Amino acid sequence: MGERATIGDVAARAGVGVGTVSRVLNDSRNVSEDTRERVLRVIRDLDYRPNRRARALSTGRTQSIAVIAPFATEPSVVERLRGISHELHGSDHDLTLLDVATPDQRDQQYRAVAAGDRFDGLLAISLAPTDDEAEQLARAGLSTVLLDCEHPDLPRVVIDDVRGGMLATRHLLQLGHRRIAFMGDVADRGFRFSASARRREGCELALRAYGLALEEPYVRVGPHGRAVAHRLTDELLALPEPPSAIVTASDTRALGVIEAASSAGVRVPQELSVVGFDDLDVAAYVGLTTVRQPLRTSGGIAARLLLERIGRLVGDPVEKMLELELVPRRTTAAVGV
Amino acid sequence: MGERATIGDVAARAGVGVGTVSRVLNDSRNVSEDTRERVLRVIRDLDYRPNRRARALSTGRTQSIAVIAPFATEPSVVERLRGISHELHGSDHDLTLLDVATPDQRDQQYRAVAAGDRFDGLLAISLAPTDDEAEQLARAGLSTVLLDCEHPDLPRVVIDDVRGGMLATRHLLQLGHRRIAFMGDVADRGFRFSASARRREGCELALRAYGLALEEPYVRVGPHGRAVAHRLTDELLALPEPPSAIVTASDTRALGVIEAASSAGVRVPQELSVVGFDDLDVAAYVGLTTVRQPLRTSGGIAARLLLERIGRLVGDPVEKMLELELVPRRTTAAVGV
DNA sequence: CTGAAAGCGCTTACAG
DNA sequence: CTGAAAGCGCTTACAG
């Protein structure tokens, strides 16, 4: 139980008061060069490191930021976390991961964070706060940045999901497709995801420009995941007039679509075109046509934004909009017949 | 800045001392039913939640566990983190992720954790501590569990990597392959990874049983990743007598091998058999023959083990050995010629 | 069963 | 420039 040195030990050994040691540690100025050096030497000799808990209690700052994320479901989240983690390195801030697997947990985590004594800042990925939650966070004085979700009062890093849906759909329209289906998230299972609904809007807008509508049987929604997408694809393929192309709200779903097509003996892209969303690593590998968004970068940008804001209570809720790009690969082709 | 209630507020309003409130919060016994109810009512009325920092300072317990992980490199780590996170839910413990991308960071993070005032426990993934570090951790009284790495003094959750290498190699030998190459990690870049070296040992043992040896040109090592594996495969294929099969130390590498073979016009499995390791989701999708290890489960088991040990200073260093299984799919076949 | 007090290891006015 | 002291919000012997 290594008996760690405390600030008192350092002070005693250096022949000064603890206040002076603290000043050397923080203030910098208002300490004579002599004293500073003596204290620093003792600190080194004793291998003294300030206790963060004590400091936190005293200053009200924790040096720790929370990330709320639907971790278990989306590989894209992992990319974002990488960007965040990278940016936090060397910033002297911990990253505490608050994993969310159910709507209940989502609510719980928001409440726990807003309780307000554990973190300096919050980064929420994909899980938009309610008005109520946003207010709680503000009241707790907790700097917050949203990533891949929105709230009018909070700074955020986002993409134009509507445009993303349009990009995917337009690509298919230009290839001659007319029977285009959309596969995405259920409206709202309590997570308050919004990206999928927006992408669907974009899909509808693009179709409308061609005088087409997104008919009900061509819209399939369900929880995220390859297996679900597989099942939904089976449904689409069983339709009297199956679609010739499917726009999906994520690469993971697109993989499920391809899998289902393959089991059903439907050739991609000859008989069915598929567009994903995200451009995960696996997309390049599989040759998936997709809408690329800068996942890792988005995490870095959000983290930097948060670090800038921590402490300062300024806060016009800026919005950083990241670029999208359609990446055509081998899962889309001109319409067959 | 919502003026959160403190234990003092509760005590005042309930007409008792703070010690009593604290007892209601913790002890349970030694408080009259009357008092307890009164205090609990006030706690509810004031929406009081104890300040964890203060509690931590006072008890020396942080309710927070650290996970050191080579996060940025391995998708398999993500699976493990899921298992850990799942197990921690409802345990009232935070998970702080200490990401490691370089050997320097590895050393830094170990040192920071061993400083000893921020965490109740440590879970180290794939990054074996040195004797020195293990001792520091013990001195700091920090409960530690290792996952996918070993130290004689610490409890650990592992697989038999040697056996894993044997399983993969034997499968190929039984298919008639004799020119078998191994592709894995460089000996040690400072991370202290050991899995790859063990798997290679297993590969050699299996070969020896057939009177074969693992010749130098058939051993290719490099940092983890698809791109590197691609390059190493190019080297192998350029050999005067290229291998007919490659055992890789991870699915990610196996994907790089397949990619390289495809670019080089070498058909898999007809001209080249490939075995991965891990059985990531993508393996099933791609049809990769691989050695399956229970990644997510391993995280859960390690987390549970850690939670059991936190606080209790007992500690015979148990070892939990998880099962391996060869999963034959479409990237291995009987030797061609 | 319960209150008053000391203590956890820091920071930060307040004097000087 | 520097020391002594109060305070951050808890827990936990110590009395009673």
Side-chain angles (χ1 to χ4, degrees):
Chain A
M1 283 292 193
E3 297 304 322
R4 289 188 58 208
T6 70
I7 197 170
D9 300 333
V10 175
R13 184 129 159 198
V16 299
V18 294
T20 300
V21 176
S22 179
R23 268 170 229 121
V24 170
L25 252 27
N26 303 297
D27 251 346
S28 293
R29 50 205 168 141
N30 290 128
V31 181
S32 75
E33 201 44 45
D34 247 34
T35 313
R36 156 188 319 289
E37 287 196 354
R38 189 147 34 96
V39 170
L40 285 177
R41 184 135 16 86
V42 175
I43 286 178
R44 226 170 302 123
D45 290 353
L46 262 43
D47 189 28
Y48 167 72
R49 267 161 292 189
N51 179 319
R52 286 171 54 132
R53 295 200 301 273
R55 169 178 278 171
L57 184 56
S58 186
T59 60
R61 303 278 299 279
T62 65
Q63 308 277 81
S64 179
I65 81 150
V67 176
I68 296 192
F71 186 61
T73 41
E74 310 253 359
S76 59
V77 173
V78 175
E79 279 302 308
R80 294 198 153 104
L81 285 173
R82 279 184 192 148
I84 294 169
S85 174
H86 183 79
E87 187 66 31
L88 252 38
H89 259 314
S91 81
D92 206 32
H93 281 263
D94 283 341
L95 182 169
T96 291
L97 195 57
L98 303 177
D99 182 14
V100 164
T102 67
D104 260 8
Q105 284 175 6
R106 179 205 166 287
D107 301 347
Q108 238 174 269
Q109 298 287 29
Y110 260 112
R111 230 176 301 129
V113 168
D117 57 347
R118 289 159 55 198
F119 306 108
D120 286 352
L122 166 66
L123 211 46
I125 303 182
S126 304
L127 302 160
T130 61
D131 288 345
D132 219 54
E133 285 162 347
E135 199 187 310
Q136 303 267 327
L137 293 171
R139 265 219 301 267
L142 195 72
S143 300
T144 302
V145 169
L146 305 180
L147 177 48
D148 186 44
C149 57
E150 309 198 351
H151 187 282
D153 301 341
L154 293 169
R156 52 198 177 269
V157 176
V158 295
I159 55 170
D160 184 343
D161 284 295
V162 175
R163 178 150 182 282
M166 289 185 68
L167 282 176
T169 310
R170 236 186 247 149
H171 170 66
L172 292 169
L173 287 164
Q174 284 163 0
L175 286 171
H177 291 275
R178 293 301 177 264
R179 286 177 287 118
I180 297 174
F182 177 88
M183 184 179 299
D185 235 314
V186 287
D188 197 350
R189 314 204 298 293
F191 286 111
R192 298 178 55 77
F193 293 139
S194 58
S196 173
R198 294 264 176 77
R199 291 170 197 172
R200 173 181 165 173
E201 270 183 61
C203 181
E204 298 195 68
L205 285 175
L207 287 170
R208 200 169 307 157
Y210 274 67
L212 301 169
L214 189 56
E215 306 289 353
E216 208 31 75
Y218 279 6
V219 177
R220 297 284 151 169
V221 298
H224 193 257
R226 192 150 63 206
V228 173
H230 189 131
R231 184 168 53 70
L232 295 177
T233 304
D234 289 343
E235 296 175 12
L236 283 171
L237 294 178
L239 249 32
E241 202 169 34
S244 69
I246 305 181
V247 172
T248 65
S250 69
D251 286 351
T252 300
R253 284 191 179 89
L255 294 180
V257 171
I258 294 171
E259 199 176 81
S262 156
S263 321
V266 173
R267 287 169 305 152
V268 172
Q270 295 88 339
E271 299 169 272
L272 182 69
S273 283
V274 183
V275 185
F277 205 109
D278 284 339
D279 197 27
L280 302 178
D281 286 350
V282 69
Y285 183 69
V286 172
L288 178 66
T289 296
T290 191
V291 178
R292 172 186 299 159
Q293 66 168 320
L295 291 170
R296 192 173 312 193
T297 306
S298 75
I301 292 176
R304 202 167 327 135
L305 192 56
L306 182 59
L307 289 175
E308 283 167 16
R309 301 212 149 205
I310 283 175
R312 312 187 193 91
L313 282 186
V314 298
D316 39 329
V318 294
E319 169 171 291
K320 304 225 180 191
M321 178 79 75
L322 272 31
E323 288 304 306
L324 294 178
E325 180 188 3
L326 182 93
V327 184
R329 293 201 183 95
R330 302 191 304 274
T331 58
T332 47
V335 65
V337 180
Chain B
M1 282 296 194
E3 295 306 323
R4 288 191 58 209
T6 71
I7 196 171
D9 299 334
V10 175
R13 184 130 160 198
V16 300
V18 295
T20 300
V21 177
S22 179
R23 268 171 228 121
V24 170
L25 252 28
N26 304 296
D27 251 346
S28 292
R29 47 201 172 145
N30 289 130
V31 180
S32 74
E33 200 45 43
D34 247 33
T35 313
R36 159 190 315 289
E37 287 197 354
R38 191 148 31 95
V39 170
L40 285 177
R41 185 136 13 88
V42 174
I43 286 178
R44 226 171 301 123
D45 288 354
L46 264 42
D47 190 27
Y48 166 72
R49 268 161 291 190
N51 180 317
R52 284 170 57 131
R53 295 199 301 271
R55 169 178 278 170
L57 184 57
S58 185
T59 61
R61 304 278 298 278
T62 66
Q63 307 276 83
S64 179
I65 82 151
V67 176
I68 296 192
F71 186 60
T73 40
E74 311 253 359
S76 59
V77 173
V78 175
E79 280 301 308
R80 294 199 152 104
L81 285 173
R82 281 187 187 142
I84 294 169
S85 174
H86 183 80
E87 187 66 30
L88 253 36
H89 259 313
S91 81
D92 206 33
H93 281 262
D94 282 343
L95 182 170
T96 291
L97 195 58
L98 303 176
D99 183 14
V100 164
T102 67
D104 260 8
Q105 284 175 5
R106 178 206 167 286
D107 301 346
Q108 238 173 269
Q109 299 287 30
Y110 259 113
R111 232 176 300 128
V113 168
D117 58 348
R118 289 158 57 198
F119 307 108
D120 286 352
L122 166 66
L123 211 46
I125 303 181
S126 304
L127 302 160
T130 61
D131 288 345
D132 220 52
E133 286 162 346
E135 199 187 311
Q136 303 267 326
L137 293 171
R139 264 219 301 267
L142 195 71
S143 301
T144 302
V145 169
L146 305 180
L147 177 49
D148 187 44
C149 57
E150 309 199 352
H151 188 281
D153 300 341
L154 293 169
R156 52 199 178 269
V157 176
V158 297
I159 55 170
D160 184 342
D161 284 296
V162 175
R163 179 150 181 282
M166 289 186 68
L167 283 177
T169 309
R170 237 186 247 150
H171 170 66
L172 293 169
L173 287 164
Q174 284 162 0
L175 287 170
H177 292 274
R178 293 301 176 266
R179 286 176 288 119
I180 296 175
F182 177 87
M183 183 179 300
D185 236 315
V186 287
D188 197 349
R189 316 204 295 295
F191 287 111
R192 300 177 54 76
F193 292 140
S194 57
S196 174
R198 293 265 176 77
R199 290 169 197 173
R200 173 180 165 174
E201 268 183 61
C203 181
E204 298 197 68
L205 284 175
L207 286 169
R208 199 168 310 157
Y210 273 67
L212 300 169
L214 188 58
E215 304 291 352
E216 209 31 75
Y218 279 7
V219 177
R220 298 283 152 168
V221 297
H224 193 257
R226 192 149 65 206
V228 173
H230 189 131
R231 183 169 53 69
L232 295 176
T233 304
D234 288 344
E235 296 176 11
L236 283 170
L237 295 177
L239 250 31
E241 201 168 34
S244 68
I246 304 181
V247 172
T248 65
S250 68
D251 286 350
T252 301
R253 285 192 178 87
L255 294 180
V257 171
I258 293 172
E259 200 177 81
S262 157
S263 322
V266 173
R267 287 169 306 154
V268 172
Q270 294 88 340
E271 298 170 273
L272 183 69
S273 283
V274 183
V275 185
F277 206 109
D278 283 339
D279 197 27
L280 303 179
D281 286 351
V282 69
Y285 183 70
V286 173
L288 177 66
T289 296
T290 190
V291 178
R292 171 186 299 158
Q293 64 168 321
L295 291 170
R296 190 172 313 193
T297 305
S298 76
I301 292 176
R304 200 166 329 133
L305 192 56
L306 182 58
L307 289 175
E308 284 168 16
R309 301 213 150 203
I310 283 175
R312 311 186 194 93
L313 282 186
V314 299
D316 38 330
V318 294
E319 170 171 291
K320 302 223 180 193
M321 178 80 73
L322 271 32
E323 289 303 307
L324 294 177
E325 180 189 4
L326 182 93
V327 184
R329 293 202 183 93
R330 302 191 304 275
T331 58
T332 47
V335 65
V337 179

